[in-house]
Amino acid sequence: MRKEGRKRRKKKEDKKRVVVSNLPFEGWPYKENPNRHYRGNQVKTSKYTVLSFIPKNIFEQLHRFANLYFVGIVVLNFIPVVNAFQPGVSMVPVCAILAVTAIKDAWEDFRRYKSDKVINNRESLVYSRKEQSYMQKRWQDVRVGDFVQMRCNEIVPADILLLFSSDPSGVCHLETANLDGETNLKQRRVVKGFSQQEVQFQPEHFHSTIVCEKPNNHLSKFKGYMEHPDQTRTGFGSESLLLRGCTIRNTEVAAGIVIYAGHETKAMLNNSGPRYKRSKIERRINTDIFFCIGLLFLMCLIGAVGHSLWNGTFKEHPPFDVPDADGNFLSLALGGFYMFLTMIILLQVLIPISLYVSIELVKLGQVFLLHNDLDLYDEETDLSIQCRALNITEDLGQIQYIFSDKTGTLTENKMVFRRCTIVGSEYCHQENAKRLEMPKELDSDSEEWTQYQCLSFPPRWAQGSATTRSQGGAQPLRRCHSARVPIQSHSRQRSVGRWETSQPPVAFSSSIEKDVTPDKNLLSKVREAALWLETSDTRPAKPSHSTTASIADFFLALTICNSVMVSTTTEPRKRVTTPPANKALGTSLEKIQQLFQRLKLLSLSQSFSSTAPSDTDLGESLGPNMPAIDSDEKDDASVCSGDCSTDGGYRSSTWEQGDILGSESGTSLEEGLEAPALSQDGPELCYEAESPDEAALVHAAHAYSFTLVSRTPEQVTVRLPQGVCLTFDLLFTLGFDSVRKRMSVVVRHPVTGEIIVYTKGADSVIMDLLEDPASVSDTHVEKKLKRIRARTQKHLDLYARDGLRTLCIAKKVVDEEDFQRWASFRREAEASLDNREELLMETAQHLENHLTLLGATGIEDRLQEGVPDTISALREAGIQLWVLTGDKQETAVNIAYSCKLLDQTDTVYSINTENQETCESILNCALEDVKRFHEPQQPARKLCGYRIPSNMPSVNSGAMAPEIGLVIDGKTLNAIFQGKLENKFLELTQYCRSVLCCRSTPLQKSMIVKLVRDKLSVMTLSIGDGANDVSMIQAADIGIGISGQEGMQAVMSSDFAIARFSHLKKLLLVHGHWCYSRLARMVVYYFYKNVCYVNLLFWYQFFCGFSGSTMIDYWQMIFFNLFFTSLPPIIFGILDKDVSAETLLALPELYKSGQNSECYNLPTFWVSMADAFYQSLICFFIPYLTYRGSDIDVFTFGTPINTISLTTILLHQAMEMKTWTVLHGLVLLGSFLMYFVVSLIYNATCVTCNSPTNPYWVMERQLADPTFYLICLLTPVVALLPRYFLLSLQGTYGNSLISKAQKIDKLPIDKRNLEIQNWRSKQRPAPASASASASAPATSTVHTGPPCHPVSPEAQQDFGASTSKSSSPPRQKSVEDWAHQGPRCSREHSRDDTCSGDALAKLSSGECLLEPNRTVAPTAYSRGQKDVSRHSSKGSHRRSQSSLTI
């Protein structure tokens, strides 16, 4: 038992790292330092040293089978019994190949060594007890337990726990661009208990022990605690860890203790470098090499048997059969075995040793051309394509499935605030939508002013005082001129200056994201609240339906509930921590307190929730029987916002200058407006956000003059519309994570002193955390809460249908006692080392419940330019495109319609269920439904017992059936994976034109990619831009990262990196096709070349008694492969273009040749082998028959054969080339001439090179013989005649797409364009029949719901109205026309949409699956269309004629 206990304790201790200060051990022997077991800070990324390079590099190269094979041949040639050549000579080709690779490896490693040396010799300040100060030390000398001081703009030398910051609030700012490419600054906080230091940190006073987790590669995860001498513990996390490689910004001095050093730092543990992937062609090459080995074995076996048979014909031992020392002769069998080994040495070139080196050189050339393609360069981001994996370029031409992320990949990841709903009232921000429709950002002042003239201005605020409003006309908007234009020009100058500096630009701060145009209706409510506040003492009390309290809370939540940091635009960026003075033109804090007391009443009086009032029509619907307190609340409710215009430029907004509510009781509001503006001498603020969503919400709040002024770990300051700054105490921040899908801040209100929790998050989560209306005692409030929730949900559905990203905003007021109890639990969870994440999650869930809904926001993530065109081209190329996203289903579907992933005529199946049995029933039913219209085009493959069509299924009837789309969510994917339903799911997807997986986690994304890749044996490509796409990118055959706004984690784990999704079109259709076509044909040519040449030696064995001798000099054989025939295939593999880029882009279906591996497959390999055998027969036997019976020597016979074979092989290469340039001609001619020059020099100088037979003067004599010229002209013609005839037939009668495209390429430009148009018109599908088109816009919604009951005709008609898909495009501007055109519009919308709430209820046990009903009465459908078009022209993916329901 004791042993088990000790083992358990030891195992537990192994998971921890204990760090103490090194100062007490300074000067002690190294062995007595408790930190001695931890690695030093020296970094070594180089693999070799001077001594280890040769053995280590050779060992690594022998991992490649071909190299091991050739080294084995060389060793075999040193055995005297079986050697075919001189042993030293046989080493030359192998040594040359190994040397070339070794030189390349040595150069790369030397560059790594130099980089390591620079990094290790950087200097940092490390505290020395002996010197009583910080001393300069090299990075490589820093150790775990040292105290390091860093200054602004210095790079962090190791992973350091932050113990001191010169910032008064104990914050240090980091730029992590070196780690993840993100330019926005991150906050790191001093460990609790060390932040209140007035003077410099004293390392000698540090006596605590640090206990933390072992080194790992999780950049965002770190946990531990500090144990003080008094046995108390202080917890810390990743917010206190400075990572190696990051840069200190906006902080003068920071100090801390080293926790991890060198290769144990998180940055180094993440530095895995480019991954090695084997391409499909390389796998095919390995298979064919085994075929070549089999062929070699067969030829050697023939040689061995022939040798034994030939020796058996002698009755006596011939003179050349020499006995051994004992006078014994070899037996026939043993002689045959030795001859077998000799033949292996002789015919070794059958395996192309130079092929691998040639492939590497060709791929380097292809990568160079990719890098220099201007079409793959993005001028806006100044980024070109990056090729991080050099060995899979040809796989770009064979992709069959693409798995794409949505946000940042198909969209720009520029989040633009579009609209919002506050307590059930929707504000559509039409002016903002018009601004976003402008194709370009207007740059000139005149254009800006033109834009502002297009907008309507509220007349009351543009006129003079309140007493002269009736007779005063609309005055010129002087302050808009004076405020807007200079500020805008200053902004432009600042942005220009920023590019001139080395400081990186602020992330998520483009003009399109920052400049939000406020909504008129929302402005009017703010204005009325301000006017009411001015005259509240004089006017009679009357019911008011203002939503002022909720509006204030809503915008406060947008401003506070985030991790955005405020900095100035001066360079270097300076962080704002002190709020400006409260200059509110006479508005005192007491008056603001009175305002908040008025707003408080019902909405702030409940202990755990805040109930907000509704809008006008909501109040009317509650009727006159409202309690008096509610009426008073409405009467008093007011929000301080408004402006002299709704022009939307928040820079021109006088709210920001703080003069709206700035008048005293004796001063009218209009007079206050005419007062001088606040001094805004300070530099313009800019917001450093960690995500574009956060930045969009803060910019939106800023547009309404709820301005985030400063943020510290303890406080956050907000400037209100009237100019007063409120500083909230920031008690806790519960950060966003992918599990909770929400973020919360706990603040203490500066006026009321209440503790308020503001929460924002995904609607699917927040809606479940709201307070139950039934728990409220007041029935009117209960009705109001239900109404608000229902309306907000309806608006959320509208936003999602419009393709917007939705976030819900909620709040909660917490009792002081309850908060203190919760805070103690939270601190315990933060200090724990075991199960820390679970405890933090649990405490967060205890706080984030019983919330009160404030509203929701809709943020647009705009489609990238060229995405629809790219997707349609990829689909024409035969590539299946799946979108895997974590977004809402409705949002993803509408984006899919926008980018042409789904079409209006598609039948879309939406499957949403958690139950495995239900999921199986749905899949079975959907498969039956689909198979009625589709049949597999070819005999179906078997996939684990299920039929899987190999191509896109065809239609079994005369009319064209609608295309199929599939929409599925994360919960359904869980049911599929857990219920072993993957095969049925894959079978269904084979019939689908598009597949959308919504609400999917990163793990699910990678599982889907692996499922399709492994089960269907297809080539896959994943493309994404964020850290959540990394696992998907790594799981695919090719991973592509988009260097967007979400950092560089996707890029760092990818094989290729591009700037835009639209670059994928040329990358695959052009470069992918070229890379595959070039390399595939080059590989086939290499096999042909080597087999053709080796067979010459094999045929000679039949005439030399299978003795293993050759008729060609061995040096000539070495030069033949290394020099004479090596350069033309390399140039061919880099530069050849079988079809022009213009034709490949115009005809995407040409890409299918790569998908089908038409250039290099088993048939093409064996055809080239047969051609090689034929050509070798001709090249050997024509010279043999010519010189038969003559007395020429063996090399005189071999030289014409060698010359003929070279000529034939080079001419064969010329016939394969589709592109002819000067370089191609020079290389071919140069190779041919080099052969003669080298042969003449070699034959003239080599007197005794290869005794007893020497090639001296052989070539010179041959060149004087006319017979030599005759056979050198005649033989290549006869050898190449069959291939030429075959190529002629293919060019004349060939049906392949590539041959047709090659013919089109040869036409003049005008005729070529006409031919391409004709081709494309033929490829377009014929229009569907009337019956098919009638049911075209069909969408099948497969969901779990209540049991089916009889439905009245009226209900059926209404259901048709809400479920019939409009044939109009899914994204039109007209949706703005109905969205909130006053109370009537809202009431109509709520009345018309009868099919919203209960559609997705849970399936009770025992309910059956119903057959799909594909018939709907035409009258009901047409009426439904009219009814829908009255208030929305956008079709929901749920609307259909084909409704498959459970």
Side-chain angles (χ1 to χ4, degrees), residues 624-675:
N625 298 323
M626 297 278 292
I629 185 169
D630 200 56
S631 301
D632 292 342
E633 176 222 352
K634 290 182 179 182
D635 216 23
D636 290 349
S638 169
V639 162
C640 318
S641 63
D643 196 3
C644 61
S645 74
T646 58
D647 59 9
Y650 59 74
R651 295 189 183 113
S652 67
S653 171
T654 50
W655 317 333
E656 188 172 336
Q657 298 161 358
D659 56 358
I660 292 178
L661 288 177
S663 56
E664 293 289 351
S665 57
T667 308
S668 72
L669 186 63
E670 284 75 7
E671 290 170 0
L673 281 169
E674 295 299 325

Side-chain angles (χ1 to χ4, degrees), residues 12 112 115 156 217 231 729 806 895 898 1179 1242 1389 1429:
K12 197 171 182 180
R112 284 193 290 262
S115 173
V156 181
N217 61 354
Q231 304 300 313
D729 290 333
T806 54
I895 290 291
S898 302
C1179 290
Y1242 174 67
H1389 179 54
S1429 62

